[in-house]
Amino acid sequence: MTRTDADGALDEALALVSRTNPADGAHRATAWQRARETAALAGTTVRARGHRVPLADALGEVLTASLDALGDLPSFDTSAMDGWAVAGPGPWSVRPGDGILAGGTGEGTSAPLADGEAVRIATGARIPADTTAVIRSEHAREAGGQLYATRTVSTGQDIRPRGQECRSGDPLLPAGSLVTPAVLGLAAAAGYDELATRPRPRVEILVLGDELLTEGRPHDGLIRDALSPMLGPWLTRIGAEVLSTRRLGDDPAGAEALFRAVTESTADVVVTTGGTASGPVDHVHPVLERAGAELLVDGVAVRPGHPMLLARLGDRTDGRHVVGLPGNPLAAVSGLLTLAEPLLRALAGRRQRPRYAVPVQGDVPGHPYDTRLVPVLLTDEHAVPLRYNGPAMLRGVAAADALAIVPPHGARSGQELEVLDLPWAAGGCFT
């Protein structure tokens, strides 16, 4: 069988299998978009925490208070260019000395300029009193102790007046703003040493399964654990603080360890992998029932990843959440983007990603009832579907920029499909 035939067989199999066929009376999974909305809503109902942290620790968090100017910016009149500060009409007599440097405090740096006088000045240096303008170095020439302008000089040119950017008390950014590198720079310029922010939601990852190897090649029915190396960095990239990643077995001892972890974890969100179906060693549902959890989403009409779930432990304003991901790697990715990311962004106080669509290149087969998430490359004009998009495959998503959202029954070439950016292709935690 050729690769093309194999891909076709996979698509046919996807189209034949559905646990959400409305005609058979079986369990109805949550619609994909509805599942994302439920996850986001669950995060917004939790009472927000806040703390004050040094600037260096605030990156990627959200402001809980507005960022207001602590003083005027700039706090004094400054030179916008390297050149000459001059007073009155030219030509000007050049004041002797080395000139005025940014931050300079030497003799003559604050002396007012006399009419007809010029002094060399650096970008960012304080403007002497009575200065008329700054002339850029390339727009002036010096000869015999006199300075001559080679262009017309306008009053106030190349001077940044005090308070040009803001006045003391002006609101610079509202509460709810994401702290990006640029925000750190603005806060530092405004005189802040720390910021009031909402901390990153804390996550604990529990990888379930007896068949997983932590090193070496797969052998004797055992496979490498592809989820532990992937999930922690992925969750960190979308704004979570990952407390730990642990592996638990499928035996009764593993089920008991899962119960303790779910009920005793200090994390805001416990993410599990595997064990969300109805097999003999799928312990997640029984553990959640025993823990008194409320299932908010129990199965999603999406391929891959339909056995995913979202549960809440405790009160809706103070409770913790469990996101159950399927054990197959691409299915787990589907669960991350469907449930974990909207939940974590809401818990962090961050807005949900803007939605946008891209025309797809080529026909894309669909499932008769469920949404499909298909890895795609984004070109200047199209979303190009990638092969190797089965539930257990990571080869496609490893080369992808995004996942395209394919509606039931598929999409025709040129049809616009909504896409979900992968965090490394969309600015990571700063979006």
Side-chain angles (χ1 to χ4, degrees), residues 249-300:
D250 288 328
D251 57 3
E256 190 61 31
L258 176 62
F259 175 78
R260 290 196 303 271
V262 165
T263 56
E264 299 174 9
S265 176
T266 60
D268 301 299
V269 179
V270 175
V271 174
T272 67
T273 71
T276 55
S278 303
V281 292
D282 291 331
H283 299 304
V284 175
H285 280 92
V287 162
L288 292 176
E289 183 178 4
R290 178 183 170 193
E294 177 187 1
L295 280 172
L296 305 178
V297 175
D298 187 12
V300 177

Side-chain angles (χ1 to χ4, degrees), residues 220-242:
D220 301 327
L222 302 177
I223 60 174
R224 276 297 295 269
D225 173 13
L227 295 178
S228 293
M230 178 176 68
L231 293 182
W234 195 309
L235 291 164
T236 299
R237 198 68 182 258
I238 61 177
E241 178 190 354
V242 178

Side-chain angles (χ1 to χ4, degrees), residues 356-359 375-386 399-404 417-422 425-426:
Y356 70 99
V358 179
V376 293
L377 281 176
L378 298 179
T379 69
D380 290 341
E381 297 180 351
H382 294 97
V384 182
L386 297 171
D401 299 313
L403 296 186
L417 295 180
E418 185 178 344
V419 296
L420 294 175
D421 287 319
L422 297 175

Side-chain angles (χ1 to χ4, degrees), residues 358-380:
V358 179
V360 68
Q361 181 175 296
D363 294 346
V364 186
H367 188 278
Y369 311 109
D370 296 349
T371 299
R372 282 190 69 199
L373 300 184
V374 177
V376 293
L377 281 176
L378 298 179
T379 69
D380 290 341

Side-chain angles (χ1 to χ4, degrees), residues 16-324:
L16 289 172
V17 179
S18 173
R19 82 192 265 262
T20 58
N21 183 349
D24 63 12
H27 169 70
R28 293 290 301 276
T30 304
W32 180 80
Q33 186 59 44
R34 179 60 179 165
R36 283 176 57 81
E37 293 168 355
T38 299
L41 180 61
T44 60
T45 62
V46 176
R47 184 178 291 109
R49 295 181 291 122
H51 62 180
R52 297 191 67 85
V53 292
L55 293 186
D57 297 331
L59 185 64
E61 297 187 349
V62 168
L63 296 177
T64 56
S66 63
L67 189 72
D68 299 331
L70 300 179
D72 297 343
L73 281 181
S75 56
F76 47 82
D77 293 348
T78 63
S79 176
M81 293 289 169
D82 293 332
W84 300 86
V86 299
W92 303 269
S93 298
V94 176
R95 178 187 288 179
D98 296 330
I100 305 173
L101 302 177
T105 57
E107 185 178 351
T109 59
S110 59
L113 281 180
D115 195 41
E117 189 177 25
V119 64
R120 187 172 290 279
I121 194 166
T123 301
R126 182 192 292 267
I127 294 291
D130 299 326
T131 295
T132 301
V134 170
I135 305 174
R136 303 182 187 194
S137 296
E138 62 269 26
H139 297 164
R141 62 182 178 85
E142 182 183 6
Q146 294 289 110
L147 183 74
Y148 301 88
T150 61
R151 296 190 180 185
T152 302
V153 177
S154 302
T155 300
Q157 73 178 30
D158 287 326
I159 294 174
R160 291 188 64 211
R162 175 174 180 167
Q164 181 186 52
E165 188 167 3
C166 62
R167 290 293 185 179
S168 180
D170 283 353
L172 303 177
L173 290 171
S177 298
L178 179 67
V179 180
T180 65
V183 171
L184 293 179
L186 175 63
Y192 283 85
D193 298 317
E194 59 182 21
L195 294 174
T197 60
R198 189 166 174 172
R200 296 168 179 265
R202 300 161 299 186
V203 175
E204 184 173 9
I205 301 169
L206 304 175
V207 178
L208 313 180
D210 291 330
E211 75 281 13
L212 303 177
L213 296 169
T214 59
E215 60 183 14
R217 299 180 182 181
H219 61 85
D220 301 327
L222 302 177
I223 60 174
R224 276 297 295 269
D225 173 13
L227 295 178
S228 293
M230 178 176 68
L231 293 182
W234 195 309
L235 291 164
T236 299
R237 198 68 182 258
I238 61 177
E241 178 190 354
V242 178
L243 302 180
S244 65
T245 299
R246 291 192 286 156
R247 297 178 181 85
L248 302 178
D250 288 328
D251 57 3
E256 190 61 31
L258 176 62
F259 175 78
R260 290 196 303 271
V262 165
T263 56
E264 299 174 9
S265 176
T266 60
D268 301 299
V269 179
V270 175
V271 174
T272 67
T273 71
T276 55
S278 303
V281 292
D282 291 331
H283 299 304
V284 175
H285 280 92
V287 162
L288 292 176
E289 183 178 4
R290 178 183 170 193
E294 177 187 1
L295 280 172
L296 305 178
V297 175
D298 187 12
V300 177
V302 67
R303 304 294 169 136
H306 63 89
M308 67 181 76
L309 61 83
L310 171 64
R312 178 166 54 215
L313 291 162
D315 183 81
R316 63 182 301 174
T317 59
D318 290 313
R320 298 178 297 110
H321 291 86
V322 177
V323 174

